């Protein structure tokens, strides 16, 4: 296993599906995946900062980049996130919220470090065209956009198209939630600049 750098200055925003298409058990598995990924980071004000958005019938900010400055506090916050079930999957709204708020200096965003967005879901966006247009806007704004798709189906290709290029680097796929944690290491490695 490749050794990670001791400190990588970057701002990372995770966007996690909490719609009824996921369900409470798989929602917790997504959060466990985030913790497994974050465990590879050096969480500190001068190194990696993390924020989190959940989405279903809207985008719900859980915490900003400057709220938790160590791993223990971050994990505790993730463990306390409530499942917000709704029969809608507005991943487009999560992307919009990320662009408008997550990386602002008010909320801990830094101008001189990479801005990374990571979208995790098991299905298609409510409006495919709007989703892909918003993803393109995010990428044009300088955000490195990773997608993590769970399962098989049309959403996997949609996610690959939404992700930054090359898709082979920025789009990851887990066959099922039980294998999601297998992507923690490659995702962390790639977001920190490795291939």
């Amino acid at each position: 296993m490749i050794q990670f750098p001791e400190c990588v200055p970057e701002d990372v925003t995770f966007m996690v599906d909490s719609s009824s298409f996921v369900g409470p058990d798989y929602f917790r598995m997504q959060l466990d995946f985030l913790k497994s990924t974050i465990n590879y980071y050096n969480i500190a004000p001068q190194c990696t900062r993390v924020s989190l958005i959940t989405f279903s019938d809207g985008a719900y900010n859980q915490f900003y980049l400057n709220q938790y400055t160590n791993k223990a506090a971050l994990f505790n916050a993730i463990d306390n996130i409530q499942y917000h079930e709704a029969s809608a999957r507005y991943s487009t709204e999560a992307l919009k919220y990320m662009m408008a708020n997550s990386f602002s200096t008010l909320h801990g965003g830094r101008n001189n470090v990479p801005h990374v967005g990571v979208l995790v879901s098991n299905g298609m966006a409510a409006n495919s065209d709007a989703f892909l247009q918003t993803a393109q806007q995010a990428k044009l704004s300088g955000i490195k956009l990773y997608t993590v798709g769970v399962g098989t189906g049309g959403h996997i290709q949609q996610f690959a198209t939404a992700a930054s290029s090359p898709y082979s680097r920025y789009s990851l796929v887990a066959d099922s939630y039980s294998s999601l944690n297998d992507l923690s290491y490659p995702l962390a490695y790639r977001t920190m600049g490795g291939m």
Side-chain angles (χ1 to χ4, degrees):
M1 191 172 285
I2 299 169
Q3 184 70 32
F4 287 107
E6 187 173 322
C7 177
V8 177
E10 63 176 352
D11 295 339
V12 182
T13 294
F14 289 96
M15 295 160 281
V16 178
D17 191 341
S18 69
S19 70
S20 59
F21 303 107
V22 173
D25 292 340
Y26 289 152
F27 177 69
R28 297 315 308 182
M29 292 176 79
Q30 288 179 129
L31 297 184
D32 288 342
F33 164 67
L34 297 196
K35 289 168 62 179
S36 178
T37 303
I38 292 166
N39 203 41
Y40 290 107
Y41 297 148
N42 181 349
I43 301 298
Q46 72 278 16
C47 300
T48 301
R49 301 180 184 181
V50 170
S51 66
L52 177 59
I53 299 164
T54 57
F55 61 91
S56 53
D57 58 346
Y60 300 92
N61 184 69
Q62 300 299 331
F63 51 82
Y64 289 117
L65 294 166
N66 55 0
Q67 280 184 251
Y68 302 108
T69 57
N70 65 75
K71 206 169 289 183
L74 195 54
F75 284 178
N76 184 63
I78 292 172
D79 286 339
N80 285 302
I81 291 172
Q82 299 300 307
Y83 173 57
H84 184 93
E85 180 178 4
S87 58
R89 182 186 277 126
Y90 290 163
S91 42
T92 303
E93 296 307 311
L95 290 172
K96 288 179 179 177
Y97 189 94
M98 174 188 67
M99 284 191 292
N101 300 284
S102 297
F103 299 115
S104 72
T105 53
L106 175 66
H107 299 136
R110 294 166 287 179
N111 295 324
N112 58 339
V113 307
H115 291 170
V116 177
V118 180
L119 177 73
V120 185
S121 181
N122 71 347
M124 301 280 279
N127 183 323
S128 181
D129 289 342
F131 172 70
L132 293 175
Q133 289 171 6
T134 306
Q136 181 65 14
Q137 292 170 5
K139 292 180 285 187
L140 290 174
S141 75
I143 296 169
K144 296 180 180 180
L145 186 59
Y146 290 81
T147 59
V148 179
V150 183
T152 59
H155 68 288
I156 299 302
Q157 182 56 47
Q158 183 192 59
F159 286 173
T161 304
S164 293
S165 183
Y167 305 144
S168 59
R169 172 191 173 92
Y170 289 95
S171 185
L172 296 87
V173 180
D175 291 337
S176 65
Y177 281 99
S178 60
S179 63
L180 190 55
N181 279 3
D182 293 343
L183 299 181
S184 294
Y185 176 85
L187 176 61
Y189 180 62
R190 293 178 192 187
T191 62
M192 288 192 278
M195 181 56 212

